[in-house]
C-alpha cells in the first residue's frame, strides 16, 4: 500500500479575513467530481484509488487521498487499503464518501468493492463509486444505460469549468505524481557540482568555528556554528517572507549544512507560523533542491511540515520520502509520516515550541545528553497534533 496523504482543499468557500480564499465550486455530477480530483491531490492520478470525503450540513468536500492499486490484485492489500481509508474518514468525522478507481477493471473493481463494503459497515454513506480509464468513466452504482452506458461516459476534465476555477485559485494539477516530485528534485550535472563544492566550503566553515570555540573553552564547541546557523536561517526566513529568495550557492550551502544541527532546525521549525506558509514553502523547496545526502533530511522534513500546513498532502508525503531515503531513522520525518498517514488535518499543524523555548531547551544546563543527528529532539517530545 502506497498512500498519498490527504490533501485538504475544502470545497470551496471564502477564507477568513487576511487568508486566501478557496474557490466555490458546486459538484453535481461525476464529471464535476473527476474535474476537481486532480486539484485536490495536486496531480492527475493513474492506477490509483482516490477517496473523497464530504461532511457537514452542506456536504462540502473535506479531503481527498489516494492509494496505488495493487497489481496484480491482492486481497490482503485490498483489505489494508479499505481499512486505512475508512479509519481516516472516521477520524475526520466524515459522513459521506466517494471512491474513484483509475485503471482497468481487473485492478479497480476488487479495491472499489472492498472499500465500499468496509465503508458501509463503518456507517458511511457511499455517494458514488466510479472507474476511470482512457477518458471515460463508469459508475458502479448507476444501472441506467441512458446515463451510464456500457461503453462508459466520455469526459474531458481539462476543459471543465470546475478545473478552470481550481487552476485560477492556484490549485495546480501536475500530470502525475512523478511530475510533482520533480519540482523538488535535487540538482544534477554542473549545478550539483557547484552545490557540492559550496557544501565543502560550508563544512570547512563549521570546522573553523568549532576550532575557534574549542580554543576559547566552554561546554559546547559547536556553539559558534549553531549561533551563525540560526542567524542565517532566520535571515533567510525573513527574506522569503518579504518576497525575496536565496540564490547564492554558498549561502544555500551554509543554510543546509547549518540545519543539520538540531538547535538550528528546531529554531526554524518553531518559526513556521501559518500566516507565512506560502513563503516558507518556497524557502524549504529551494533548500531541498540544493541539498543531498546527510544535509537533505532537515530541510525536507521542514518542507513536509510546511506543505502539511498548506494542505498539500502529496507534496508533504514526497518530502517525507526524500528525508527518509537519506536517513531512514530521521525522527521528525517519521513523526510527520505517521501524522500524514493518519489523515490529521492541517489545522492541527501546531508548532512544537516557541523559538524562546527551543533556545532554552538547548542550553547546556537545561538539556539531557543526546546523540546528535537523528535522535528525538525536544521539539518531537512536545505535544504533537492529533
Amino acid at each position: 500500500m502506497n498512500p498519498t496523504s490527504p490533501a485538504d482543499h475544502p470545497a470551496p468557500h471564502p477564507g477568513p479575513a487576511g487568508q486566501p480564499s478557496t474557490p466555490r465550486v458546486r459538484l453535481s455530477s461525476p464529471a464535476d467530481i473527476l474535474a476537481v480530483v486532480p486539484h485536490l491531490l495536486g496531480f492527475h492520478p493513474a492506477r490509483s484509488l482516490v477517496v473523497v470525503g464530504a461532511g457537514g450540513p452542506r456536504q462540502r468536500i473535506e479531503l481527498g487521498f489516494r492509494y496505488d492499486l495493487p497489481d496484480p490484485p491482492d486481497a490482503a492489500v485490498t483489505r489494508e487499503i479499505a481499512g486505512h481509508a475508512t479509519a481516516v474518514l472516521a477520524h475526520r468525522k466524515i459522513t459521506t464518501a466517494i471512491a474513484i478507481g483509475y485503471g482497468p477493471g481487473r485492478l479497480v473493481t476488487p479495491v472499489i468493492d472492498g472499500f465500499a463494503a468496509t465503508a458501509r459497515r463503518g456507517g458511511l454513506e457511499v455517494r458514488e463509486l466510479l472507474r476511470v480509464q482512457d477518458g471515460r468513466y463508469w459508475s458502479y452504482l448507476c444501472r441506467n444505460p441512458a446515463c451510464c452506458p456500457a461503453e462508459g461516459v466520455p469526459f474531458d476534465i481539462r476543459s471543465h469549468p470546475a478545473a478552470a476555477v481550481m487552476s485560477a485559485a492556484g490549485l495546480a494539477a501536475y500530470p502525475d505524481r512523478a511530475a510533482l516530485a520533480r519540482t523538488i528534485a535535487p540538482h544534477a550535472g554542473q549545478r550539483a557540482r557547484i552545490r557540492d563544492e559550496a557544501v565543502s566550503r560550508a563544512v570547512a566553515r563549521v570546522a573553523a568555528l568549532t576550532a575557534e570555540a574549542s580554543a576559547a573553552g566552554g561546554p559546547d564547541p559547536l556553539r559558534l556554528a549553531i549561533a551563525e546557523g540560526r542567524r542565517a536561517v532566520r535571515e533567510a526566513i525573513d527574506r522569503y517572507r518579504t518576497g525575496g529568495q536565496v540564490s547564492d550557492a554558498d549561502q544555500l550551502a551554509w543554510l543546509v549544512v547549518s540545519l543539520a544541527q538540531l538547535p538550528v532546525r528546531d529554531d526554524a521549525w518553531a518559526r513556521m507560523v501559518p500566516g507565512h506558509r506560502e513563503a516558507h514553502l518556497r524557502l524549504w523547496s529551494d533548500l531541498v533542491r540544493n541539498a543531498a545526502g546527510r544535509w537533505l533530511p532537515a530541510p525536507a522534513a521542514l518542507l513536509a511540515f510546511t506543505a502539511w500546513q498548506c494542505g498539500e498532502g502529496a507534496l508533504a508525503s514526497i518530502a517525507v520520502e526524500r528525508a527518509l531515503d537519506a536517513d531512514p531513522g530521521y525522527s521528525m520525518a517519521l513523526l510527520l509520516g505517521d501524522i500524514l498517514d493518519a489523515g490529521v488535518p492541517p489545522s492541527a499543524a501546531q508548532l512544537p515550541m516557541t523559538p524562546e523555548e527551543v533556545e532554552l531547551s538547548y542550553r547546556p544546563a537545561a538539556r539531557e545528553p543526546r546523540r546528535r543527528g537523528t535522535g528525538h529532539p525536544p521539539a518531537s517530545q512536545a505535544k504533537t497534533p492529533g
Side-chain angles (χ1 to χ4, degrees):
M1 183 176 71
N2 182 13
T4 291
S5 298
D8 286 76
H9 299 302
H13 59 93
Q19 298 285 342
S21 297
T22 52
R24 184 181 296 276
V25 180
R26 185 176 183 84
L27 307 179
S28 57
S29 71
D32 295 344
I33 296 165
L34 296 175
V36 166
V37 162
H39 300 274
L40 290 176
L41 299 178
F43 61 92
H44 290 266
R47 296 285 177 121
S48 303
L49 173 73
V50 173
V51 178
V52 176
R58 296 187 179 181
Q59 288 293 289
R60 288 210 310 240
I61 291 177
E62 298 290 340
L63 78 166
F65 50 102
R66 182 201 72 94
Y67 302 88
D68 289 337
L69 292 176
D71 186 8
D74 185 301
V77 175
T78 294
R79 286 193 297 271
E80 185 181 358
I81 289 172
H84 181 269
T86 303
V88 168
L89 295 170
H91 178 74
R92 294 288 296 273
K93 297 180 171 58
I94 297 298
T95 57
T96 301
I98 297 167
I100 308 158
Y102 292 80
R106 67 178 184 84
L107 301 182
V108 170
T109 301
V111 180
I112 286 283
D113 288 346
F115 168 77
T118 303
R120 286 167 177 147
R121 284 197 299 271
L124 287 166
E125 178 190 356
V126 179
R127 179 66 60 85
E128 184 60 275
L129 300 170
L130 300 171
R131 183 172 76 85
V132 176
Q133 187 178 20
D134 298 332
R136 292 176 178 269
Y137 70 81
W138 292 260
S139 172
Y140 287 90
L141 300 183
C142 179
R143 296 292 183 265
N144 183 353
C147 60
C148 299
E151 66 273 17
V153 180
F155 70 101
D156 180 4
I157 60 175
R158 286 177 173 82
S159 63
H160 195 285
V165 171
M166 301 290 275
S167 295
L171 301 178
Y174 287 88
D176 51 34
R177 193 174 188 269
L180 176 59
R182 285 194 293 273
T183 65
I184 57 168
H187 292 317
Q190 179 64 17
R191 297 185 73 180
R193 287 191 290 274
I194 293 171
R195 175 202 65 206
D196 293 344
E197 291 168 359
V199 165
S200 295
R201 292 190 290 272
V203 171
R205 182 180 172 187
V206 170
L209 289 169
T210 302
E212 180 183 345
S214 297
D220 189 353
L222 287 170
R223 66 185 183 277
L224 293 180
I226 289 171
E228 287 294 305
R230 278 178 173 157
R231 180 184 60 78
V233 172
R234 291 171 185 173
E235 288 177 356
I237 291 170
D238 289 341
R239 181 181 299 184
Y240 276 76
R241 286 180 180 179
T242 55
Q245 188 173 19
V246 177
S247 56
D248 178 76
D250 284 302
Q251 288 181 317
L252 291 165
W254 180 245
L255 292 170
V256 298
V257 168
S258 296
L259 286 165
Q261 298 294 333
L262 294 181
V264 179
R265 184 207 68 185
D266 288 348
D267 182 81
W269 190 2
R271 296 175 189 277
M272 295 298 98
V273 293
H276 295 283
R277 55 184 180 266
E278 295 295 339
H280 301 156
L281 199 66
R282 290 193 301 111
L283 169 59
W284 304 128
S285 294
D286 283 351
L287 292 188
V288 167
R289 284 189 289 267
N290 283 277
R294 60 182 289 202
W295 314 114
L296 177 60
L302 289 164
L303 174 58
F305 179 78
T306 305
W308 174 38
Q309 281 184 320
C310 293
E312 302 289 348
L315 180 61
S317 292
I318 290 167
V320 166
E321 290 169 8
R322 291 285 308 279
L324 295 178
D325 283 345
D327 182 352
Y330 198 73
S331 60
M332 182 179 175
L334 291 169
L335 172 68
L336 291 170
D338 289 343
I339 288 170
L340 292 168
D341 284 346
V344 179
S347 60
Q350 304 166 11
L351 299 180
M353 292 183 177
T354 66
E356 294 74 21
E357 289 170 337
V358 170
E359 184 174 2
L360 179 63
S361 74
Y362 281 104
R363 289 179 183 173
R367 69 184 181 203
E368 295 293 329
R370 67 173 66 83
R371 178 174 62 85
R372 292 191 180 274
T374 60
H376 290 274
S380 67
Q381 295 168 356
K383 180 180 179 182
T384 56

